[in-house]
Amino acid sequence: MISLSILNKGIALHGGLLQVTNITQNFHVFIFIISILIVGLTSFYPRKVWVPEFSSLKEILFNNFYYYSTKITNKMGEQFKIIEYPLILLFIISGASFLISTSDLVSIFLSIELQSYGLYLLSTIYRNSELSTAGGLIYFLLGGLSSCFILFGTSLLYANSGTTSLDGIYIITSLSDNINNWYTPYYINLALIIFSIGFLFKISAAPFHFWSPDVYDAIPTIVTTFVAIIAKISIFIFLLELVYFTYGYFNEYNWTIGLVMSSLFSLLIGTFMGLVQFRIKKLLAYSTISHVGFILLALSISSIESTQAFIFYIIQYSISNLNAFVILIAIGFSLYNYITNNIEYKKLIDKNNSPIQLITQLKGYFYINSLLSISLAITIFSFVGIPPLIGFFAKQMVLSAALDNGYIFLSLVAILTSVVGGVYYLNLIKEIFFFLPEYKLNPILQKLNLDGTVYGKLEGKKNVLLKTCNFNYKNIVMSSSMSITISIITLIILLFIFMNKEWLSMGTIVVQILFTF
């Protein structure tokens, strides 16, 4: 069997099981970049000691600053004691990469299961957390149910088409309805609807969303970041090619109407259910469902403009969501120096893995760390779609494509839900900026003087004690990895209007290649 063959727009590998095209290559790189940023949350300790007089470039390069760092830098954090963590991430990223490149029903199922099993394991990997175990179990059971839909749809597609190759199915769907009576229109369309239901489960699109708020809230925040972003990118890119090659197949029965209905439900449920949430990760879960509605709307239109909007929306959704979760994690770590007398906060379960769980925990945070608060505010305004932030351009592109293609009702619903959704986003802003904090500096830390020593090279000898110093709680700051990640992503969200040409040109080129025969 020939394992490598040349396609019109790429290369087929392993007898057509996988394919390499411009879109797959671009999104492989994008997934790797996002994964690197998420892995950075657990690759470096979240806090460090910064003493200005010992932090010059010369001191950093040639000398070493030692201090008792176990508790300050959170070296006892659960994520730093799990040796299986990198291997499970490898499974997830490999599954996502294969799913983006898949070109056969067999490789589709293997890829989505490889990705899903990694996410199930990652959700339950924090062994000291009962909530995480329960959330992971819910995710596993309902994820298994969605896999049943995918497998059932796969079997129907094979039974009705006689091939497992997506190229073969694309050829059948491009034939005229009178070419062969055996291919009755609703056969393959019904199979594709059932097939797509399984993937809508996986991306938590309404009305198959009911698992995501509880799972997002139960599992540790670092894991939620992976589940909320990586799991969706690969599925959406796979659905893009599936919709593109089957769109217009017997219009009166076309299966993409299911995506349109899911988009409508996602916009409504994601917006109105978010209004009553008081737990922040549940709020972000419903926010994600609302964004999925916009993405599905762009996907189901399948025109050049909508596909460009689809690709751009996925990119901006991923980086904005990543920034929100990284800031949420950073806020939890930044409260190391503070205590609170609020009994509700003290009774929270699983505080070590998810320090920030309630919206009210952000009350007055601007007076504790103004830069992090402003970064979070910029990200939230981008979610709302306030110009000139990146989220505004993404929503504008989707709505413009929808109106151009006659989706007037859905466009009105999307505009309405964006306005209503601003209410729960602005509630976060109100809590952060318009109240005084309930946190107070830990009196023990205020009185505590910590010791540090500087070792370096002197007269040809290494590791010579050069000097000693004292520092206090004011010198305990966020690690460079978190600070740099948040700064870069926030600047991209804020300053997109000044560098939009390169981003939009890249999306345009990729879409033109897809739509040019």
Side-chain angles (χ1 to χ4, degrees):
M1 179 182 289
I2 299 174
S3 62
L4 178 67
S5 57
I6 306 300
L7 300 175
N8 186 28
K9 299 175 184 177
I11 299 173
L13 303 174
H14 305 297
L17 288 178
L18 301 173
Q19 61 180 351
V20 179
T21 64
N22 295 85
I23 288 182
T24 61
Q25 286 181 304
N26 278 284
F27 276 93
H28 281 161
V29 173
F30 183 65
I31 279 184
F32 296 152
I33 292 172
I34 295 292
S35 300
I36 288 170
L37 294 176
I38 298 175
V39 169
L41 298 176
T42 50
S43 299
F44 304 96
Y45 299 123
R47 289 181 290 264
K48 66 179 182 182
V49 172
W50 179 265
V51 182
E53 55 265 33
F54 302 116
S55 301
S56 64
L57 184 61
K58 178 183 176 183
E59 294 278 354
I60 292 173
L61 292 177
F62 298 105
N63 299 330
N64 295 314
F65 181 47
Y66 293 99
Y67 54 92
Y68 181 71
S69 59
T70 299
K71 194 170 181 181
I72 291 175
T73 58
N74 193 40
K75 283 188 176 181
M76 301 306 292
E78 182 74 12
Q79 64 269 27
F80 301 115
K81 299 185 286 184
I82 302 172
I83 59 174
E84 304 93 336
Y85 192 81
L87 182 62
I88 294 173
L89 297 188
L90 179 63
F91 288 155
I92 298 170
I93 297 167
S94 299
S97 300
F98 291 147
L99 183 60
I100 288 175
S101 299
T102 190
S103 186
D104 193 277
L105 294 176
V106 176
S107 57
I108 288 170
F109 189 74
L110 293 177
S111 301
I112 192 64
E113 289 308 294
L114 179 61
Q115 174 182 283
S116 298
Y117 285 153
L119 291 169
Y120 303 151
L121 291 171
L122 194 64
S123 298
T124 57
I125 200 170
Y126 285 69
R127 304 179 184 93
N128 65 340
S129 170
E130 293 182 11
L131 277 179
S132 175
T133 304
L137 185 59
I138 294 171
Y139 190 23
F140 168 70
L141 293 175
L142 294 177
L145 177 62
S146 65
S147 297
C148 291
F149 279 98
I150 294 173
L151 198 57
F152 183 40
T154 299
S155 62
L156 288 177
L157 282 171
Y158 177 66
N160 292 321
S161 65
T163 180
T164 61
S165 171
L166 291 183
D167 288 334
I169 295 172
Y170 299 155
I171 291 172
I172 293 170
T173 57
S174 66
L175 299 176
S176 174
D177 57 345
N178 58 9
I179 194 72
N180 194 327
N181 291 329
W182 186 57
Y183 295 115
T184 307
Y186 57 81
Y187 283 175
I188 292 181
N189 272 306
L190 179 61
L192 286 170
I193 288 173
I194 296 172
F195 187 66
S196 64
I197 285 173
F199 287 102
L200 292 176
F201 252 109
K202 299 283 187 186
I203 60 176
S204 66
F208 314 107
H209 67 284
F210 43 83
W211 61 270
S212 63
D214 292 329
V215 171
Y216 279 30
D217 192 45
I219 60 180
T221 306
I222 291 175
V223 177
T224 309
T225 309
F226 245 99
V227 174
I229 300 173
I230 300 298
K232 291 180 172 56
I233 297 174
S234 57
I235 294 174
F236 275 127
I237 299 306
F238 163 71
L239 288 176
L240 170 63
E241 296 204 13
L242 188 66
V243 170
Y244 170 72
F245 285 110
T246 60
Y247 191 80
Y249 168 55
F250 298 101
N251 284 320
E252 63 269 26
Y253 301 108
N254 195 264
W255 69 280
T256 54
I257 190 67
L259 300 180
V260 176
M261 296 303 297
S262 180
S263 170
L264 175 61
F265 289 132
S266 297
L267 288 168
L268 293 173
I269 292 174
T271 299
F272 290 102
M273 290 298 292
L275 294 173
V276 296
Q277 301 305 316
F278 62 91
R279 296 184 67 86
I280 191 162
K281 284 199 290 181
K282 281 191 175 182
L283 177 65
L284 290 175
Y286 282 109
S287 168
T288 296
I289 294 168
S290 179
H291 287 299
V292 166
F294 273 95
I295 296 172
L296 287 175
L297 175 59
L299 176 63
S300 58
I301 297 171
S302 194
S303 65
I304 293 178
E305 295 81 6
S306 68
T307 306
Q308 184 180 356
F310 168 83
I311 291 174
F312 180 69
Y313 204 108
I314 288 179
I315 294 173
Q316 75 84 23
Y317 156 80
S318 300
I319 63 174
S320 299
N321 231 25
L322 173 62
N323 203 38
F325 279 111
V326 174
I327 291 173
L328 201 62
I329 293 168
I331 289 173
F333 286 133
S334 70
L335 295 175
Y336 172 78
N337 298 333
Y338 296 86
I339 59 172
T340 179
N341 294 322
N342 191 306
I343 299 175
E344 187 180 13
Y345 301 166
K346 292 181 178 180
K347 289 183 178 179
L348 288 174
I349 303 174
D350 206 23
K351 289 189 293 184
N352 291 333
N353 297 325
S354 298
I356 305 298
Q357 299 180 30
L358 304 175
I359 293 174
T360 53
Q361 284 181 271
L362 298 176
K363 184 179 290 185
Y365 186 73
F366 176 74
Y367 298 97
I368 295 174
N369 191 321
S370 57
L371 291 177
L372 266 183
S373 300
I374 293 171
S375 296
L376 182 57
I378 291 171
T379 306
I380 290 171
F381 284 134
S382 179
F383 283 152
V384 177
I386 302 295
L389 305 178
I390 191 171
F392 164 76
F393 294 98
K395 289 188 176 182
Q396 183 266 338
M397 289 172 69
V398 173
L399 292 172
S400 176
L403 289 171
D404 288 344
N405 287 271
Y407 289 77
I408 298 173
F409 175 72
L410 266 176
S411 299
L412 291 173
V413 171
I415 294 169
L416 174 65
T417 52
S418 293
V419 174
V420 175
V423 174
Y424 61 71
Y425 289 125
L426 292 176
N427 185 42
L428 284 172
I429 300 295
K430 182 185 73 173
E431 293 286 341
I432 295 171
F433 291 92
F434 295 96
F435 293 102
L436 292 175
E438 296 182 356
Y439 298 98
K440 296 181 180 179
L441 278 172
N442 190 336
I444 297 175
L445 279 178
Q446 281 183 285
K447 300 174 183 177
L448 189 65
N449 282 321
L450 302 168
D451 298 321
T453 54
V454 179
Y455 284 83
K457 188 176 180 181
L458 183 65
E459 297 178 357
K461 297 181 180 179
K462 295 182 179 179
N463 294 326
V464 177
L465 176 61
L466 299 180
K467 56 191 92 171
T468 60
C469 71
N470 294 323
F471 61 91
N472 56 33
Y473 71 92
K474 294 180 180 178
N475 300 111
I476 302 173
V477 297
M478 297 304 303
S479 69
S480 300
S481 60
M482 275 193 175
S483 304
I484 293 171
T485 301
I486 293 171
S487 302
I488 292 175
I489 298 177
T490 304
L491 288 174
I492 289 174
I493 294 170
L494 180 63
L495 304 178
F496 171 77
I497 191 172
F498 298 110
M499 52 182 177
N500 55 12
K501 185 178 179 181
E502 291 76 12
W503 287 56
L504 297 177
S505 297
M506 180 188 69
T508 303
I509 291 169
V510 171
V511 173
Q512 290 289 351
I513 291 172
L514 178 65
F515 277 82
T516 303
F517 289 95

